[in-house]
């Protein structure tokens, strides 16, 4: 029987953006301020090196630097999930073990994929997560996202949760997320320690209704999203709905307009970080989109615009 109270981790675990200088180098002082802001804004935990962290633009050495820098700077204030996705089973396992040894609380890993067409079938995906589990002793979150182009049925996810020791958390970002969460919980029972919401909280309210106990959102306004989750958890759906309705325009701006640069634009506008530029060749946000984002944010007065 599924029991949400058994979860080690729950609440809002936003993705930490990677901060660069205007010339594209890592900006570690800004990175530390970014983390401090996100903790002060009420994050229950953090996730680093995810797609919204521009992880696909980082070298292996930079991943190591960021993991070490952020985990040492967080210093146990909140748990940190480290994304260790890689197509290669051995490489992913090695990355994951290093992240664990540096202090990661959990790993987030997408199924193996590369480019538009390189995929593997369920037997290989199962073996991939089983070997990853054998290499570590912390929870593994499977990221079920369209970017992988890999269908992962609720039945397959539930089977892995039941049979693979450390597979216990699931970030569901596919179409019909609420229905999939319900089916995952029904089939997996108490093996599903953490059914989580993603996609910048655009589906948060129905996903909470479906049983989601965590949300991995963008990092710009956890102070806006956390109260929605808390009100829902306390059984006050009217308050949760009102708050969700209030913040939905900004959530929409991130999910559908500004994308992965949204958090950095908000942080730069508020003086949290020095530069919001992505790393080439990722395009910068259109100035009109940025203007609309900032206008929308100012109507809500999130901490990101005042923290610095």
């Amino acid at each position: 029987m599924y029991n949400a109270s058994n979860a080690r981790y729950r609440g809002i675990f936003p993705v930490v953006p990677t901060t660069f200088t205007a010339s594209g180098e890592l900006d570690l002082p800004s990175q530390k301020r970014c983390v401090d802001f996100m903790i002060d804004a009420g994050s229950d935990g953090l996730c680093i090196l995810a797609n919204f962290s521009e992880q696909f633009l980082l070298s292996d050495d930079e991943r190591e630097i960021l993991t070490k820098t952020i985990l040492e700077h967080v210093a146990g204030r909140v748990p940190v999930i480290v994304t260790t996705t890689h197509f290669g089973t051995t490489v992913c396992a090695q990355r994951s073990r290093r992240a664990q040894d540096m202090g990661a609380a959990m790993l987030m890993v997408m199924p193996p994929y590369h480019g538009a067409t390189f995929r593997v079938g369920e037997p290989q995906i199962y073996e991939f997560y089983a070997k990853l589990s054998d290499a570590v002793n912390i929870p593994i979150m499977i990221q079920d996202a369209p970017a992988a182009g890999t269908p992962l049925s609720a039945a397959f996810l539930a089977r892995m949760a039941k049979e693979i020791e450390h597979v216990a958390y699931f970030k569901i970002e596919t179409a019909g997320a609420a229905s999939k969460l319900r089916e995952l919980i029904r089939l997996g029972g108490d093996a599903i320690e953490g059914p989580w919401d993603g996609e910048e909280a655009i589906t948060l309210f129905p996903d909470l209704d479906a049983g989601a106990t965590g949300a991995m959102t963008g990092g710009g306004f956890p102070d806006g999203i956390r109260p929605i989750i808390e009100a829902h958890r306390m059984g006050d759906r009217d308050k949760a709905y009102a708050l969700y309705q209030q913040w939905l325009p900004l959530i929409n701006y991130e999910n559908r307009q500004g994308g992965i640069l949204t958090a950095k634009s908000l942080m730069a506008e508020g003086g949290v970080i020095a530069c919001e530029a992505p790393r080439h060749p990722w395009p910068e946000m259109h100035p009109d989109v940025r203007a609309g984002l900032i206008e929308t944010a100012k109507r809500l007065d999130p901490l990101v615009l005042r923290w610095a």
Side-chain angles (χ1 to χ4, degrees), residues 127-151:
E127 292 171 3
F128 172 86
Y129 283 111
K131 291 181 179 181
L132 173 58
S133 179
D134 289 343
V136 299
N137 54 29
I138 56 176
I140 297 166
M141 171 180 284
I142 295 180
Q143 183 179 4
D144 182 17
T150 304

Short mmCIF file of all heavy atoms in Angstrom, two decimals, residues 127-151:
data_model
loop_
_atom_site.label_atom_id
_atom_site.label_comp_id
_atom_site.label_asym_id
_atom_site.label_seq_id
_atom_site.Cartn_x
_atom_site.Cartn_y
_atom_site.Cartn_z
N GLU A 127 18.41 -3.09 -17.12
CA GLU A 127 19.78 -3.42 -16.72
C GLU A 127 20.57 -2.16 -16.37
O GLU A 127 21.39 -2.17 -15.43
CB GLU A 127 20.48 -4.20 -17.82
CG GLU A 127 19.92 -5.59 -18.04
CD GLU A 127 20.49 -6.25 -19.29
OE1 GLU A 127 21.36 -5.63 -19.95
OE2 GLU A 127 20.07 -7.38 -19.60
N PHE A 128 20.34 -1.09 -17.12
CA PHE A 128 21.01 0.18 -16.87
C PHE A 128 20.73 0.66 -15.44
O PHE A 128 21.66 0.96 -14.67
CB PHE A 128 20.51 1.20 -17.91
CG PHE A 128 20.94 2.62 -17.69
CD1 PHE A 128 22.16 3.08 -18.18
CD2 PHE A 128 20.11 3.52 -17.03
CE1 PHE A 128 22.54 4.40 -18.01
CE2 PHE A 128 20.50 4.85 -16.86
CZ PHE A 128 21.71 5.28 -17.34
N TYR A 129 19.46 0.72 -15.05
CA TYR A 129 19.12 1.19 -13.71
C TYR A 129 19.53 0.18 -12.64
O TYR A 129 19.91 0.57 -11.52
CB TYR A 129 17.63 1.51 -13.62
CG TYR A 129 17.27 2.83 -14.27
CD1 TYR A 129 16.51 2.88 -15.44
CD2 TYR A 129 17.69 4.03 -13.72
CE1 TYR A 129 16.19 4.08 -16.04
CE2 TYR A 129 17.37 5.25 -14.32
CZ TYR A 129 16.62 5.27 -15.48
OH TYR A 129 16.31 6.47 -16.07
N ALA A 130 19.47 -1.11 -12.95
CA ALA A 130 19.88 -2.12 -11.97
C ALA A 130 21.37 -2.01 -11.67
O ALA A 130 21.79 -2.07 -10.50
CB ALA A 130 19.55 -3.52 -12.50
N LYS A 131 22.18 -1.81 -12.71
CA LYS A 131 23.62 -1.68 -12.49
C LYS A 131 23.95 -0.36 -11.80
O LYS A 131 24.88 -0.29 -10.98
CB LYS A 131 24.36 -1.81 -13.82
CG LYS A 131 24.30 -3.23 -14.39
CD LYS A 131 25.05 -3.37 -15.70
CE LYS A 131 24.99 -4.81 -16.21
NZ LYS A 131 25.72 -5.00 -17.48
N LEU A 132 23.20 0.68 -12.12
CA LEU A 132 23.38 1.95 -11.43
C LEU A 132 23.07 1.78 -9.94
O LEU A 132 23.81 2.25 -9.07
CB LEU A 132 22.48 3.01 -12.06
CG LEU A 132 22.42 4.37 -11.36
CD1 LEU A 132 23.81 4.99 -11.26
CD2 LEU A 132 21.47 5.30 -12.11
N SER A 133 21.98 1.10 -9.63
CA SER A 133 21.60 0.86 -8.25
C SER A 133 22.67 0.07 -7.50
O SER A 133 22.96 0.35 -6.32
CB SER A 133 20.26 0.11 -8.19
OG SER A 133 19.88 -0.16 -6.87
N ASP A 134 23.28 -0.89 -8.18
CA ASP A 134 24.33 -1.69 -7.55
C ASP A 134 25.55 -0.85 -7.19
O ASP A 134 26.32 -1.21 -6.29
CB ASP A 134 24.76 -2.83 -8.47
CG ASP A 134 23.71 -3.92 -8.60
OD1 ASP A 134 22.80 -3.97 -7.74
OD2 ASP A 134 23.79 -4.70 -9.56
N ALA A 135 25.73 0.27 -7.89
CA ALA A 135 26.93 1.09 -7.70
C ALA A 135 26.80 2.12 -6.59
O ALA A 135 27.79 2.74 -6.20
CB ALA A 135 27.27 1.80 -9.02
N VAL A 136 25.57 2.33 -6.08
CA VAL A 136 25.35 3.39 -5.09
C VAL A 136 24.47 2.89 -3.95
O VAL A 136 23.96 1.77 -4.00
CB VAL A 136 24.66 4.62 -5.75
CG1 VAL A 136 25.55 5.20 -6.85
CG2 VAL A 136 23.28 4.26 -6.31
N ASN A 137 24.31 3.73 -2.94
CA ASN A 137 23.40 3.36 -1.84
C ASN A 137 22.52 4.53 -1.44
O ASN A 137 22.12 4.65 -0.29
CB ASN A 137 24.17 2.82 -0.64
CG ASN A 137 25.26 3.76 -0.17
OD1 ASN A 137 25.16 4.97 -0.33
ND2 ASN A 137 26.31 3.20 0.41
N ILE A 138 22.22 5.41 -2.39
CA ILE A 138 21.27 6.51 -2.19
C ILE A 138 20.14 6.38 -3.20
O ILE A 138 20.28 5.66 -4.19
CB ILE A 138 21.96 7.89 -2.32
CG1 ILE A 138 22.65 8.04 -3.68
CG2 ILE A 138 22.95 8.12 -1.18
CD1 ILE A 138 23.28 9.42 -3.91
N PRO A 139 19.01 7.05 -2.97
CA PRO A 139 17.87 6.89 -3.88
C PRO A 139 18.17 7.37 -5.30
O PRO A 139 18.96 8.29 -5.52
CB PRO A 139 16.78 7.77 -3.24
CG PRO A 139 17.20 7.98 -1.85
CD PRO A 139 18.69 7.93 -1.83
N ILE A 140 17.52 6.73 -6.24
CA ILE A 140 17.59 7.10 -7.66
C ILE A 140 16.22 7.59 -8.11
O ILE A 140 15.22 6.92 -7.86
CB ILE A 140 18.03 5.91 -8.53
CG1 ILE A 140 19.44 5.43 -8.15
CG2 ILE A 140 17.96 6.25 -10.02
CD1 ILE A 140 19.80 4.07 -8.71
N MET A 141 16.20 8.75 -8.74
CA MET A 141 14.98 9.28 -9.34
C MET A 141 15.06 9.07 -10.85
O MET A 141 16.01 9.51 -11.50
CB MET A 141 14.81 10.77 -9.04
CG MET A 141 13.67 11.44 -9.80
SD MET A 141 13.49 13.19 -9.41
CE MET A 141 12.72 13.09 -7.80
N ILE A 142 14.08 8.38 -11.41
CA ILE A 142 13.99 8.24 -12.86
C ILE A 142 13.25 9.46 -13.41
O ILE A 142 12.13 9.75 -13.00
CB ILE A 142 13.26 6.95 -13.26
CG1 ILE A 142 14.07 5.72 -12.81
CG2 ILE A 142 13.03 6.92 -14.78
CD1 ILE A 142 13.43 4.39 -13.16
N GLN A 143 13.92 10.16 -14.32
CA GLN A 143 13.29 11.32 -14.95
C GLN A 143 12.59 10.86 -16.23
O GLN A 143 13.24 10.47 -17.20
CB GLN A 143 14.32 12.41 -15.28
CG GLN A 143 13.69 13.66 -15.88
CD GLN A 143 14.70 14.75 -16.17
OE1 GLN A 143 15.90 14.57 -16.00
NE2 GLN A 143 14.23 15.89 -16.64
N ASP A 144 11.27 10.90 -16.18
CA ASP A 144 10.44 10.45 -17.31
C ASP A 144 10.04 11.70 -18.09
O ASP A 144 9.01 12.31 -17.83
CB ASP A 144 9.23 9.70 -16.77
CG ASP A 144 8.34 9.15 -17.87
OD1 ASP A 144 8.79 9.07 -19.03
OD2 ASP A 144 7.17 8.83 -17.57
N ALA A 145 10.88 12.08 -19.05
CA ALA A 145 10.71 13.36 -19.74
C ALA A 145 10.70 13.16 -21.26
O ALA A 145 11.37 12.26 -21.76
CB ALA A 145 11.82 14.33 -19.36
N PRO A 146 9.96 14.00 -21.98
CA PRO A 146 9.91 13.87 -23.44
C PRO A 146 11.27 13.98 -24.11
O PRO A 146 11.48 13.42 -25.19
CB PRO A 146 9.00 15.03 -23.85
CG PRO A 146 8.15 15.32 -22.66
CD PRO A 146 9.04 15.04 -21.48
N ALA A 147 12.23 14.70 -23.48
CA ALA A 147 13.54 14.90 -24.10
C ALA A 147 14.24 13.59 -24.42
O ALA A 147 15.00 13.50 -25.38
CB ALA A 147 14.43 15.75 -23.20
N ALA A 148 13.97 12.55 -23.62
CA ALA A 148 14.63 11.26 -23.85
C ALA A 148 14.03 10.52 -25.05
O ALA A 148 14.67 9.64 -25.61
CB ALA A 148 14.54 10.39 -22.61
N GLY A 149 12.79 10.85 -25.40
CA GLY A 149 12.15 10.15 -26.51
C GLY A 149 11.97 8.67 -26.26
O GLY A 149 11.87 7.87 -27.19
N THR A 150 11.96 8.28 -24.99
CA THR A 150 11.90 6.88 -24.61
C THR A 150 10.62 6.60 -23.84
O THR A 150 10.48 7.07 -22.71
CB THR A 150 13.12 6.52 -23.73
OG1 THR A 150 14.32 6.84 -24.42
CG2 THR A 150 13.12 5.04 -23.37
N PRO A 151 9.69 5.85 -24.42
CA PRO A 151 8.46 5.55 -23.68
C PRO A 151 8.75 4.70 -22.45
O PRO A 151 9.44 3.68 -22.52
CB PRO A 151 7.63 4.76 -24.69
CG PRO A 151 8.23 5.06 -26.04
CD PRO A 151 9.68 5.28 -25.78
#
